Amino acid sequence: MKAIATMPDSVSPVSAPPRVRFAPSPTGFLHVGSARTFIFNWLFARHNQGTMVLRLDDTDVERNTDASVQSIFEGLRWLGLNWDEEYKQSERLDLHRAAAETIFARGLAYRDFTPAHAGDDNQSSAQGAWLFNPGMREMPREESDRRAAAGEPFALRYRVPRGEGRVLHFADGVYGAQSRPTDEVEDFALLRSDGMPTYHLASCVDDADLRISHIIRGQDHLTNTYKHLLIFEALGAQAPQFAHLPLLVAPDGTKLSKRKHGPVVSVTTYRDAGFLPQAFVNFLCLLGWSPKNDRDFLVLDEIRTLFTLEGVNRANAVVNFTEEDPFDAKAVWLNAEHIRALPVEELAHCLTPFLEQAGFHAAPDKVAAVAPLIRERIKLLGEAPAAADFFFVDKLPGYDPAELIPLKKGETTGDPALALRVLESARQVLAATDFDHDSLDKALREAATQLGLKAGPMFQPIRVAVCGRKNAPPLFETLVVLGREVCLARIAEAEERIASLG
RNA sequence: GUCCCCGUCGUCUAGCCCGGCCUAGGACACCGCCCUUUCACGGCGAUAACACGGGUUCAAAUCCCGUCGGGGACGCCA
């Protein structure tokens, strides 16, 4: 990162509480990049006691769907960050059209009768003819009126000043002082030939009308800002402050896109895999922003307190994922941290849907008992069923009986007879001992001593017998949660398995 | 093609505006060791970066110029 912004976010000298907005267009699920933009806006609003506005930018009837609207709300609700006001752009069309008329009446726009899509493929010519539509911009008003009256469709274009030496300026809250001659800004559309406003028009009209004070959005809008400046001016409105956020990019360096990068860019993918929203938010905040205090694990309250636009940097941030590993390792680690930070009851609550989805009967007591045993062993909630299956199934899935038999270092075959003796002894102990952690601990260690065994070779057969695998939570806690009956039955079954090994 | 933005460990980043405290700090990942009934957690340690080239200066990751590299915008999409 180089050179610091001249006027970071101290741009607005004194300060009515800010009003910011998040304005997604409902053309798909909630994108992680959009989620981050939303979060940063929310943080800015809440840090400054401002207002958070949610506005659906749905002026593209061709591409907007209700399903998408639902999915975006679903994503936002999951994040758990609230907003104060809500608008739908499609319900404000009168406002947009009136604004377009005003701009046209002021002579700041012209009708463009070029058929839609006419210029889709031809490249801009060398002298910059792409800046405007020749023949349209200079068309006499009489001809324009006549053709319009005759019903010929037209788009309304902004007449960007040419050859006046005018330069547009703004102070970006992240990128600093920005400027561009109007000669380099093309004549952009305000109204489509079907009469619908374009994004540029609708968004600026609404931002002005809703008295948005700060527009915080992706850096891909940086160069659009000059057009927006022109619209605010034509509207006679004071332009808001702008702050552009560095982009979230894929490992290939390009902007994250659903088409190119698949479901890993959808917020719901994270939710479904078992991310905690607070962990996801924590992760996203660290992409392009730093608390500058060497801390990574942060809760929302801390982030809100610490958040400023000065902490936002300018280089694009890579979200690291691969085909095999769809989630950034840091996101996963943060999630594990947040899981461990959760009180047991809350963790149990979060775990339940995942357990149920795996077909387990997740009784609240049971889940609460299991949660502390797996909390350090899972990084995603979605890993819970695999980590805790043996607590919930009636019958253990098949496992390799050889695992019941401990191997000494360097050996390839163990001693089945010894394993059998361990299990027999364990069965007797479990049948006779109080079923609590300390009693079990004491009794089983005594049994080990009697067999002349250390803890390892004593506990492995028991663990595998009751869990069906070698890697599992601590033994005594596990036995207690499982209960005496289940343990005895599984040990007996394990003995049969060894016997059947021959 | 034109314009704009960016460039510190593999990744996220601190440091850059106000040059010296930077033999560049933290985190994740990876590797090793310790703890330990397994796995995990935890603890300790190791490897690893200022894109390149000039300039200014006693001194540059920090200032200036250039090069290269990456990204973005240029739509009757948002």
Side-chain angles (χ1 to χ4, degrees):
Chain A
M1 179 167 69
K2 292 285 167 211
I4 256 65
T6 16
M7 311 174 65
D9 67 353
S10 55
V11 271
S12 55
V14 201
S15 9
R19 289 175 59 83
V20 300
R21 45 69 157 185
F22 173 62
S25 80
T27 56
F29 45 64
L30 183 64
H31 186 282
V32 295
S34 307
R36 190 194 56 160
T37 300
F38 172 75
I39 293 166
F40 280 30
N41 272 283
W42 185 93
L43 288 167
F44 183 79
R46 301 279 103 114
H47 179 90
N48 297 295
Q49 289 79 44
T51 303
M52 176 82 208
V53 172
L54 176 69
R55 190 181 72 216
L56 255 19
D57 277 9
D58 56 351
T59 53
D60 184 357
V61 275
E62 305 265 303
R63 304 198 309 157
N64 295 155
T65 66
D66 280 350
S68 166
V69 174
Q70 291 319 310
S71 142
I72 285 169
F73 274 104
E74 198 182 318
L76 292 177
R77 247 180 278 118
W78 179 68
L79 291 178
L81 308 179
N82 60 336
W83 51 92
D84 309 304
E85 298 173 20
E86 188 177 313
Y87 303 92
K88 225 174 158 182
Q89 212 161 47
S90 57
E91 290 167 357
R92 306 165 56 83
L93 293 175
D94 292 348
L95 208 56
H96 308 143
R97 293 208 180 99
E101 268 168 43
T102 307
I103 295 173
F104 180 68
R106 293 183 60 187
L108 297 171
Y110 59 91
R111 299 191 184 102
D112 181 352
F113 295 95
T114 311
H117 309 295
D120 277 3
D121 37 276
N122 67 324
Q123 267 304 310
S124 47
S125 80
Q127 311 77 254
W130 59 275
L131 287 171
F132 57 95
N133 281 13
M136 296 298 168
R137 181 177 161 113
E138 278 73 30
M139 180 182 292
R141 182 63 187 269
E142 295 71 32
E143 183 187 348
S144 176
D145 286 348
R146 182 167 20 87
R147 289 171 71 168
E152 190 177 341
F154 61 86
L156 190 69
R157 262 177 211 287
Y158 195 94
R159 190 192 307 276
V160 179
R162 306 272 163 236
E164 296 174 12
R166 209 179 145 202
V167 181
L168 268 2
H169 298 271
F170 70 96
D172 190 274
V174 170
Y175 288 91
Q178 304 290 315
S179 66
R180 184 170 206 180
T182 58
D183 286 355
E184 289 173 11
V185 179
E186 64 276 13
D187 284 1
F188 53 94
L190 261 15
L191 246 32
R192 299 191 262 245
S193 48
D194 62 2
M196 289 291 281
T198 62
Y199 155 74
H200 297 302
L201 205 232
S203 147
C204 291
V205 168
D206 286 338
D207 287 336
D209 184 65
L210 299 173
R211 302 181 330 279
I212 298 303
S213 65
H214 293 73
I215 295 182
I216 303 171
R217 66 208 332 181
Q219 193 244 44
D220 45 352
H221 285 292
L222 196 60
T223 48
N224 281 335
T225 305
Y226 300 101
K227 296 171 194 159
H228 300 170
L229 253 17
L230 255 10
I231 298 178
F232 285 116
E233 182 184 85
L235 258 21
Q238 199 197 6
Q241 302 297 325
F242 292 92
H244 290 88
L245 270 16
L247 264 20
L248 257 31
V249 300
D252 67 5
T254 62
K255 188 162 71 148
L256 276 187
S257 91
K258 11 192 147 174
R259 230 200 44 208
K260 214 167 151 189
H261 307 290
V264 289
V265 309
S266 170
V267 169
T268 50
T269 304
Y270 285 78
R271 181 199 59 191
D272 296 345
F275 276 87
L276 256 14
Q278 59 268 44
F280 183 67
V281 169
N282 188 169
F283 170 65
L284 249 27
C285 286
L286 261 15
L287 295 175
W289 173 78
S290 167
K292 300 183 194 294
N293 62 181
D294 280 352
R295 296 192 42 222
D296 296 273
F297 176 85
L298 299 162
V299 298
L300 192 59
D301 248 18
E302 297 176 291
I303 301 175
R304 184 184 39 89
T305 306
L306 261 16
F307 186 83
T308 62
L309 290 178
E310 286 96 332
V312 177
N313 67 7
R314 302 176 195 174
N316 292 168
V318 175
V319 179
N320 227 340
F321 61 83
T322 62
E323 197 106 9
E324 317 81 69
D325 250 328
F327 303 115
D328 191 300
K330 190 140 189 177
V332 173
W333 170 77
L334 280 168
N335 199 55
E337 292 283 307
H338 279 92
I339 284 177
R340 282 179 233 132
L342 233 39
V344 178
E345 321 80 62
E346 276 181 52
L347 176 58
H349 178 73
C350 296
L351 249 20
T352 303
F354 288 88
L355 262 9
E356 283 174 346
Q357 204 191 350
F360 298 151
H361 175 62
D365 289 359
K366 185 76 164 283
V367 180
V370 167
L373 298 189
I374 61 168
R375 73 191 306 172
E376 268 123 30
R377 273 159 271 262
I378 57 171
K379 293 180 161 164
L380 300 172
L381 299 175
E383 293 166 0
D389 58 349
F390 52 86
F391 285 117
F392 294 95
V393 295
D394 290 332
K395 193 168 176 354
L396 241 27
Y399 58 89
D400 182 0
E403 305 224 305
L404 290 161
I405 305 163
L407 296 179
K408 289 202 190 112
K409 251 198 290 281
E411 281 183 347
T412 50
T413 53
D415 182 350
L418 180 60
L420 219 38
R421 257 181 286 137
V422 168
L423 291 175
E424 275 166 22
S425 150
R427 192 153 42 82
Q428 283 161 20
V429 170
L430 296 196
T433 310
D434 287 345
F435 233 70
D436 61 77
H437 177 285
D438 292 352
S439 309
L440 254 17
D441 185 333
K442 184 159 172 281
L444 251 12
R445 285 187 198 277
E446 273 167 14
T449 309
Q450 275 175 21
L451 288 169
L453 290 173
K454 297 219 260 194
M458 176 72 192
F459 296 159
Q460 180 184 330
I462 308 173
R463 178 178 298 109
V464 174
V466 299
C467 299
R469 69 175 101 102
K470 282 195 282 195
N471 301 344
L475 187 57
F476 310 126
E477 288 89 332
T478 302
L479 295 176
V480 172
V481 172
L482 246 16
R484 195 194 306 265
E485 298 312 312
V486 172
C487 292
L488 290 177
R490 288 184 184 177
I491 290 172
E493 189 197 323
E495 290 178 64
E496 284 167 30
R497 289 191 196 234
I498 292 185
S500 75
L501 269 179

